[in-house]
PDB file of all heavy atoms in Angstrom:
ATOM      1  N   LEU A 199      35.515   6.097   1.258  1.00  0.00           N
ATOM      2  CA  LEU A 199      35.636   7.196   2.211  1.00  0.00           C
ATOM      3  C   LEU A 199      36.538   6.805   3.370  1.00  0.00           C
ATOM      4  O   LEU A 199      37.265   7.642   3.924  1.00  0.00           O
ATOM      5  CB  LEU A 199      34.247   7.576   2.739  1.00  0.00           C
ATOM      6  CG  LEU A 199      34.164   8.749   3.697  1.00  0.00           C
ATOM      7  CD1 LEU A 199      34.616  10.038   3.017  1.00  0.00           C
ATOM      8  CD2 LEU A 199      32.740   8.904   4.232  1.00  0.00           C
ATOM      9  N   GLU A 200      36.514   5.540   3.741  1.00  0.00           N
ATOM     10  CA  GLU A 200      37.367   5.036   4.816  1.00  0.00           C
ATOM     11  C   GLU A 200      37.604   3.549   4.595  1.00  0.00           C
ATOM     12  O   GLU A 200      36.783   2.862   3.972  1.00  0.00           O
ATOM     13  CB  GLU A 200      36.719   5.262   6.186  1.00  0.00           C
ATOM     14  CG  GLU A 200      35.380   4.553   6.354  1.00  0.00           C
ATOM     15  CD  GLU A 200      34.722   4.793   7.695  1.00  0.00           C
ATOM     16  OE1 GLU A 200      35.019   5.836   8.322  1.00  0.00           O
ATOM     17  OE2 GLU A 200      33.925   3.931   8.129  1.00  0.00           O
ATOM     18  N   LEU A 201      38.724   3.061   5.103  1.00  0.00           N
ATOM     19  CA  LEU A 201      39.043   1.630   5.095  1.00  0.00           C
ATOM     20  C   LEU A 201      39.567   1.272   6.480  1.00  0.00           C
ATOM     21  O   LEU A 201      40.742   0.959   6.669  1.00  0.00           O
ATOM     22  CB  LEU A 201      40.073   1.310   4.008  1.00  0.00           C
ATOM     23  CG  LEU A 201      39.622   1.488   2.559  1.00  0.00           C
ATOM     24  CD1 LEU A 201      40.787   1.290   1.594  1.00  0.00           C
ATOM     25  CD2 LEU A 201      38.485   0.531   2.213  1.00  0.00           C
ATOM     26  N   GLU A 202      38.659   1.333   7.444  1.00  0.00           N
ATOM     27  CA  GLU A 202      39.037   1.181   8.840  1.00  0.00           C
ATOM     28  C   GLU A 202      38.806  -0.223   9.378  1.00  0.00           C
ATOM     29  O   GLU A 202      39.301  -0.558  10.459  1.00  0.00           O
ATOM     30  CB  GLU A 202      38.248   2.178   9.698  1.00  0.00           C
ATOM     31  CG  GLU A 202      38.510   3.639   9.355  1.00  0.00           C
ATOM     32  CD  GLU A 202      39.892   4.096   9.788  1.00  0.00           C
ATOM     33  OE1 GLU A 202      40.459   3.506  10.729  1.00  0.00           O
ATOM     34  OE2 GLU A 202      40.418   5.049   9.177  1.00  0.00           O
ATOM     35  N   THR A 203      38.052  -1.062   8.661  1.00  0.00           N
ATOM     36  CA  THR A 203      37.711  -2.398   9.158  1.00  0.00           C
ATOM     37  C   THR A 203      37.999  -3.447   8.092  1.00  0.00           C
ATOM     38  O   THR A 203      38.167  -3.136   6.905  1.00  0.00           O
ATOM     39  CB  THR A 203      36.226  -2.483   9.524  1.00  0.00           C
ATOM     40  OG1 THR A 203      35.437  -2.408   8.324  1.00  0.00           O
ATOM     41  CG2 THR A 203      35.817  -1.357  10.471  1.00  0.00           C
ATOM     42  N   GLU A 204      38.002  -4.705   8.538  1.00  0.00           N
ATOM     43  CA  GLU A 204      38.212  -5.809   7.602  1.00  0.00           C
ATOM     44  C   GLU A 204      37.106  -5.849   6.551  1.00  0.00           C
ATOM     45  O   GLU A 204      37.362  -6.089   5.367  1.00  0.00           O
ATOM     46  CB  GLU A 204      38.243  -7.139   8.358  1.00  0.00           C
ATOM     47  CG  GLU A 204      38.436  -8.337   7.441  1.00  0.00           C
ATOM     48  CD  GLU A 204      38.079  -9.661   8.097  1.00  0.00           C
ATOM     49  OE1 GLU A 204      37.498  -9.647   9.202  1.00  0.00           O
ATOM     50  OE2 GLU A 204      38.352 -10.704   7.476  1.00  0.00           O
ATOM     51  N   GLY A 205      35.869  -5.598   6.986  1.00  0.00           N
ATOM     52  CA  GLY A 205      34.758  -5.618   6.041  1.00  0.00           C
ATOM     53  C   GLY A 205      34.922  -4.587   4.939  1.00  0.00           C
ATOM     54  O   GLY A 205      34.663  -4.869   3.762  1.00  0.00           O
ATOM     55  N   GLN A 206      35.362  -3.393   5.297  1.00  0.00           N
ATOM     56  CA  GLN A 206      35.569  -2.350   4.293  1.00  0.00           C
ATOM     57  C   GLN A 206      36.736  -2.684   3.365  1.00  0.00           C
ATOM     58  O   GLN A 206      36.670  -2.442   2.151  1.00  0.00           O
ATOM     59  CB  GLN A 206      35.813  -1.011   4.991  1.00  0.00           C
ATOM     60  CG  GLN A 206      34.579  -0.477   5.710  1.00  0.00           C
ATOM     61  CD  GLN A 206      34.846   0.813   6.459  1.00  0.00           C
ATOM     62  OE1 GLN A 206      35.943   1.037   6.979  1.00  0.00           O
ATOM     63  NE2 GLN A 206      33.847   1.672   6.522  1.00  0.00           N
ATOM     64  N   GLU A 207      37.802  -3.242   3.924  1.00  0.00           N
ATOM     65  CA  GLU A 207      38.944  -3.640   3.108  1.00  0.00           C
ATOM     66  C   GLU A 207      38.533  -4.702   2.086  1.00  0.00           C
ATOM     67  O   GLU A 207      38.880  -4.624   0.902  1.00  0.00           O
ATOM     68  CB  GLU A 207      40.060  -4.196   4.001  1.00  0.00           C
ATOM     69  CG  GLU A 207      40.664  -3.174   4.951  1.00  0.00           C
ATOM     70  CD  GLU A 207      41.912  -2.534   4.377  1.00  0.00           C
ATOM     71  OE1 GLU A 207      42.144  -2.676   3.165  1.00  0.00           O
ATOM     72  OE2 GLU A 207      42.651  -1.894   5.147  1.00  0.00           O
ATOM     73  N   LYS A 208      37.766  -5.705   2.556  1.00  0.00           N
ATOM     74  CA  LYS A 208      37.352  -6.777   1.659  1.00  0.00           C
ATOM     75  C   LYS A 208      36.402  -6.261   0.585  1.00  0.00           C
ATOM     76  O   LYS A 208      36.472  -6.675  -0.574  1.00  0.00           O
ATOM     77  CB  LYS A 208      36.673  -7.887   2.469  1.00  0.00           C
ATOM     78  CG  LYS A 208      37.621  -8.727   3.303  1.00  0.00           C
ATOM     79  CD  LYS A 208      38.462  -9.633   2.424  1.00  0.00           C
ATOM     80  CE  LYS A 208      39.255 -10.622   3.250  1.00  0.00           C
ATOM     81  NZ  LYS A 208      40.258  -9.983   4.112  1.00  0.00           N
ATOM     82  N   PHE A 209      35.492  -5.360   0.946  1.00  0.00           N
ATOM     83  CA  PHE A 209      34.575  -4.820  -0.053  1.00  0.00           C
ATOM     84  C   PHE A 209      35.349  -4.119  -1.150  1.00  0.00           C
ATOM     85  O   PHE A 209      35.081  -4.306  -2.341  1.00  0.00           O
ATOM     86  CB  PHE A 209      33.590  -3.848   0.595  1.00  0.00           C
ATOM     87  CG  PHE A 209      32.610  -3.255  -0.388  1.00  0.00           C
ATOM     88  CD1 PHE A 209      31.385  -3.855  -0.608  1.00  0.00           C
ATOM     89  CD2 PHE A 209      32.920  -2.098  -1.101  1.00  0.00           C
ATOM     90  CE1 PHE A 209      30.483  -3.325  -1.526  1.00  0.00           C
ATOM     91  CE2 PHE A 209      32.024  -1.567  -2.019  1.00  0.00           C
ATOM     92  CZ  PHE A 209      30.811  -2.181  -2.230  1.00  0.00           C
ATOM     93  N   GLU A 210      36.326  -3.320  -0.762  1.00  0.00           N
ATOM     94  CA  GLU A 210      37.092  -2.560  -1.753  1.00  0.00           C
ATOM     95  C   GLU A 210      37.888  -3.484  -2.670  1.00  0.00           C
ATOM     96  O   GLU A 210      38.013  -3.235  -3.870  1.00  0.00           O
ATOM     97  CB  GLU A 210      38.020  -1.571  -1.058  1.00  0.00           C
ATOM     98  CG  GLU A 210      38.777  -0.645  -1.980  1.00  0.00           C
ATOM     99  CD  GLU A 210      37.881   0.266  -2.805  1.00  0.00           C
ATOM    100  OE1 GLU A 210      36.702   0.473  -2.433  1.00  0.00           O
ATOM    101  OE2 GLU A 210      38.365   0.771  -3.832  1.00  0.00           O
ATOM    102  N   SER A 211      38.419  -4.583  -2.120  1.00  0.00           N
ATOM    103  CA  SER A 211      39.229  -5.483  -2.937  1.00  0.00           C
ATOM    104  C   SER A 211      38.378  -6.390  -3.814  1.00  0.00           C
ATOM    105  O   SER A 211      38.785  -6.752  -4.921  1.00  0.00           O
ATOM    106  CB  SER A 211      40.145  -6.338  -2.049  1.00  0.00           C
ATOM    107  OG  SER A 211      39.373  -7.188  -1.203  1.00  0.00           O
ATOM    108  N   LEU A 212      37.170  -6.755  -3.344  1.00  0.00           N
ATOM    109  CA  LEU A 212      36.335  -7.693  -4.092  1.00  0.00           C
ATOM    110  C   LEU A 212      35.323  -7.002  -4.995  1.00  0.00           C
ATOM    111  O   LEU A 212      34.968  -7.517  -6.050  1.00  0.00           O
ATOM    112  CB  LEU A 212      35.582  -8.621  -3.124  1.00  0.00           C
ATOM    113  CG  LEU A 212      36.433  -9.584  -2.302  1.00  0.00           C
ATOM    114  CD1 LEU A 212      35.570 -10.328  -1.300  1.00  0.00           C
ATOM    115  CD2 LEU A 212      37.155 -10.566  -3.217  1.00  0.00           C
ATOM    116  N   SER A 213      34.818  -5.828  -4.562  1.00  0.00           N
ATOM    117  CA  SER A 213      33.722  -5.212  -5.302  1.00  0.00           C
ATOM    118  C   SER A 213      33.767  -3.692  -5.258  1.00  0.00           C
ATOM    119  O   SER A 213      32.737  -3.032  -5.356  1.00  0.00           O
ATOM    120  CB  SER A 213      32.385  -5.714  -4.737  1.00  0.00           C
ATOM    121  OG  SER A 213      31.318  -5.388  -5.580  1.00  0.00           O
ATOM    122  N   GLY A 214      34.945  -3.136  -5.114  1.00  0.00           N
ATOM    123  CA  GLY A 214      35.058  -1.694  -4.957  1.00  0.00           C
ATOM    124  C   GLY A 214      34.644  -0.917  -6.196  1.00  0.00           C
ATOM    125  O   GLY A 214      34.893  -1.343  -7.329  1.00  0.00           O
ATOM    126  N   PHE A 215      34.024   0.225  -5.990  1.00  0.00           N
ATOM    127  CA  PHE A 215      33.572   1.053  -7.106  1.00  0.00           C
ATOM    128  C   PHE A 215      34.736   1.641  -7.901  1.00  0.00           C
ATOM    129  O   PHE A 215      34.598   1.957  -9.080  1.00  0.00           O
ATOM    130  CB  PHE A 215      32.696   2.198  -6.588  1.00  0.00           C
ATOM    131  CG  PHE A 215      31.474   1.738  -5.836  1.00  0.00           C
ATOM    132  CD1 PHE A 215      31.289   2.080  -4.509  1.00  0.00           C
ATOM    133  CD2 PHE A 215      30.508   0.967  -6.455  1.00  0.00           C
ATOM    134  CE1 PHE A 215      30.167   1.673  -3.812  1.00  0.00           C
ATOM    135  CE2 PHE A 215      29.385   0.542  -5.772  1.00  0.00           C
ATOM    136  CZ  PHE A 215      29.211   0.894  -4.444  1.00  0.00           C
ATOM    137  N   SER A 216      35.894   1.811  -7.246  1.00  0.00           N
ATOM    138  CA  SER A 216      37.016   2.466  -7.919  1.00  0.00           C
ATOM    139  C   SER A 216      37.691   1.570  -8.945  1.00  0.00           C
ATOM    140  O   SER A 216      38.597   2.016  -9.653  1.00  0.00           O
ATOM    141  CB  SER A 216      38.048   2.932  -6.884  1.00  0.00           C
ATOM    142  OG  SER A 216      38.586   1.826  -6.178  1.00  0.00           O
ATOM    143  N   MET A 217      37.259   0.300  -9.045  1.00  0.00           N
ATOM    144  CA  MET A 217      37.865  -0.616 -10.021  1.00  0.00           C
ATOM    145  C   MET A 217      37.612  -0.173 -11.463  1.00  0.00           C
ATOM    146  O   MET A 217      38.247  -0.672 -12.383  1.00  0.00           O
ATOM    147  CB  MET A 217      37.316  -2.029  -9.824  1.00  0.00           C
ATOM    148  CG  MET A 217      37.743  -2.695  -8.543  1.00  0.00           C
ATOM    149  SD  MET A 217      37.025  -4.349  -8.376  1.00  0.00           S
ATOM    150  CE  MET A 217      37.750  -4.866  -6.815  1.00  0.00           C
TER     151      MET A 217
END
Side-chain angles (χ1 to χ4, degrees):
L199 183 63
E200 61 181 25
L201 293 174
E202 298 289 335
T203 69
E204 179 196 10
Q206 292 177 327
E207 295 265 14
K208 287 288 189 295
F209 180 92
E210 185 62 20
S211 64
L212 294 174
S213 193
F215 301 119
S216 62
M217 292 179 179

